């Protein structure tokens, strides 16, 4: 791979690379590496590792992948490290307790799904994919002990997570201490020039510099990206917290979730999760600074941009038009799943006297009866005959609500985006 001629200008590359970054360390070394790379027309080896501890990735994971894509577009060599061995430990970064260990088979199953999702963003033909098991499974005990000599226990215990756990008398397993050593050795194995990670990974990334030097290599430089705040506007985007936007979410669902992004995070989402030009980013920042601007217009642009990035061409515009039809004009989606009386009976529902909570759970609109009752209590459930002029103005608010199975098509609406057509 060669540095693209159009990208051979240092200032242009630096502007792209530094976009949205928190740390570029050490900056003088980083600039020197980049300058040398361009002068010698020798691409940088840019590394990021992933432990496949869950089957799906969301926009928070994609922040780093998007940065890798920018390096790739500039002509640099991307190296993805699938952490089949580090995944057996689990990264202690940001953790207040030892992670539960996954089986190797589960990690590899997740790894395959991860790669399918990564290559929605990266060019597979230009990406080097490695497993860290390639080198760790060949290491004998003497080599492991040599790796252990490259770092002191005192320095490992300086990291915030371990210091906090020691203070609170929360156990730290010995195998967790090996995690930064293993991540650092990954950089030795692939001769990394640059390593990316989230800000919470900073300790591990810097450890890689120390370990490369211990093995006689030039130390990598590091780039950290912010942690993407989830839809709740408070905590890190996480599937377990339910505040996430998945890269495989259907277009309608993805666009609807984007509409839930807090206004104060609109710029950050544009900057970290999209490919809009730097000039447009600055324009968005200026617009958001004016008190008379309607943030919803920018949010719709964001939603359309994201859907278009992860779905088929034209899906972004279609998702926006459907959202506006449903929520602005109070119309229905083009496609609504149907649920018949016969299906209900097969699932054990009493169709002569339908208990709404049971219907919501049996039809898969809610995960549990408690969730269903909570949505009813909050006024988020509507039942409207399709023969009427559809207006979702009178929610069901009685968690004990029962009704006869309708004799004409009827729309069941749950929350903002879930619809079900009940048919005789």
């Amino acid at each position: 791979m060669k540095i693209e001629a159009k990208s051979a200008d240092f200032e242009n590359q630096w502007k792209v690379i530094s976009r949205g970054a928190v740390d570029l360390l050490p900056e003088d070394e980083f600039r020197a590496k980049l300058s040398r790379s361009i002068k010698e027309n020798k691409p940088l080896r840019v590394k990021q590792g992933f432990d496949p501890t869950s089957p799906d990735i969301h926009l928070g994971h994609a922040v780093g992948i998007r940065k890798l894509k920018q390096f790739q577009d500039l002509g640099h060599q991307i190296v993805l490290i699938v952490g089949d061995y580090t995944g057996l430990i689990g990264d202690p970064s940001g953790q207040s307790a030892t992670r539960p260990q996954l089986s190797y088979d589960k990690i590899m199953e997740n790894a395959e799904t991860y790669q399918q999702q990564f290559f929605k963003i990266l060019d597979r033909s230009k990406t080097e994919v490695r497993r860290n098991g390639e080198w760790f499974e060949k290491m004998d005990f003497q080599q492991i002990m040599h790796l252990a000599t490259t770092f002191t226990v005192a320095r490992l215990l300086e990291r915030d997570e371990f210091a906090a756990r020691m203070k609170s008398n929360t156990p730290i397993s010995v195998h967790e201490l090996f995690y930064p050593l293993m991540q650092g050795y990954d950089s030795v194995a692939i001769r990394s020039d640059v390593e990316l990670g989230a800000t919470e990974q900073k300790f591990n990334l810097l450890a890689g510099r120390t370990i490369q030097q211990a093995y006689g290599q030039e130390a990598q430089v590091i780039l950290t990206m912010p942690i993407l705040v989830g839809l709740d506007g408070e905590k890190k985007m996480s599937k377990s917290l339910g505040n996430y936007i998945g890269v495989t979410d259907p277009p309608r669902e993805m666009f609807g979730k984007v509409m839930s992004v807090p206004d104060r995070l609109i710029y950050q989402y544009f900057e970290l999760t999209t490919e809009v030009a730097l000039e447009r980013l600055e324009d968005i920042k200026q617009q958001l600074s004016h008190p008379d601007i309607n943030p919803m217009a920018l949010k719709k642009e964001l939603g359309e941009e994201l859907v278009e990035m992860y779905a088929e061409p034209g899906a972004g515009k279609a998702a926006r038009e459907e959202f506006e039809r449903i929520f602005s004009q109070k119309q229905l989606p083009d496609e609504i799943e149907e649920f018949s009386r016969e299906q209900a009976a097969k699932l054990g529902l009493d169709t002569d006297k339908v208990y709404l909570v049971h219907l919501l759970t049996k039809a898969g609109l809610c995960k549990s009866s408690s969730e269903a009752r909570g949505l009813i209590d909050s006024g988020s459930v509507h039942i409207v005959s399709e023969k009427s002029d559809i207006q979702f103005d009178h929610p069901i608010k009685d968690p004990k609500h029962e009704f006869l199975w309708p004799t004409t098509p009827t729309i069941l609406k749950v929350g903002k985006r879930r619809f079900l057509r009940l048919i005789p």
Side-chain angles (χ1 to χ4, degrees), residues 408-423:
T408 60
T410 297
I411 301 299
L412 177 59
K413 178 174 181 280
V414 182
K416 294 181 178 180
R417 296 182 292 273
R418 287 173 282 181
F419 294 85
L420 191 68
R421 179 179 282 113
L422 306 179
I423 59 176

Side-chain angles (χ1 to χ4, degrees), residues 95-112:
Q95 299 298 306
S96 58
T98 303
R99 286 179 182 268
Q101 288 185 270
L102 297 180
S103 70
Y104 186 81
D105 288 345
K106 183 61 179 175
I107 287 172
M108 294 311 295
E109 180 185 328
N110 291 343
E112 182 59 35

Side-chain angles (χ1 to χ4, degrees), residues 389-406:
D389 179 20
I390 293 180
Q391 297 290 328
F392 297 108
D393 297 333
H394 301 289
I396 306 297
K397 293 191 174 181
D398 179 8
K400 296 180 180 180
H401 182 76
E402 295 177 331
F403 62 100
L404 296 175
W405 194 270

Side-chain angles (χ1 to χ4, degrees), residues 212-245:
Q212 280 183 304
Q213 290 171 323
Y215 280 85
Q217 291 186 10
E218 181 179 301
Q220 65 186 16
V221 292
I222 71 168
L223 185 154
T224 68
M225 295 296 291
I227 294 172
L228 189 66
V229 177
L231 299 178
D232 57 359
E234 297 178 5
K235 297 181 180 178
K236 171 183 176 181
M237 184 173 282
S238 165
K239 192 168 184 179
S240 62
L241 294 175
N243 64 351
Y244 73 102
I245 300 174

Side-chain angles (χ1 to χ4, degrees), residues 255 303-305 307-308 313-324:
F255 191 93
E304 184 172 344
E305 181 79 19
V307 172
E308 198 68 20
K317 182 180 179 182
R320 177 173 182 162
E321 289 174 348
E322 180 165 284
F323 176 86
E324 290 173 342

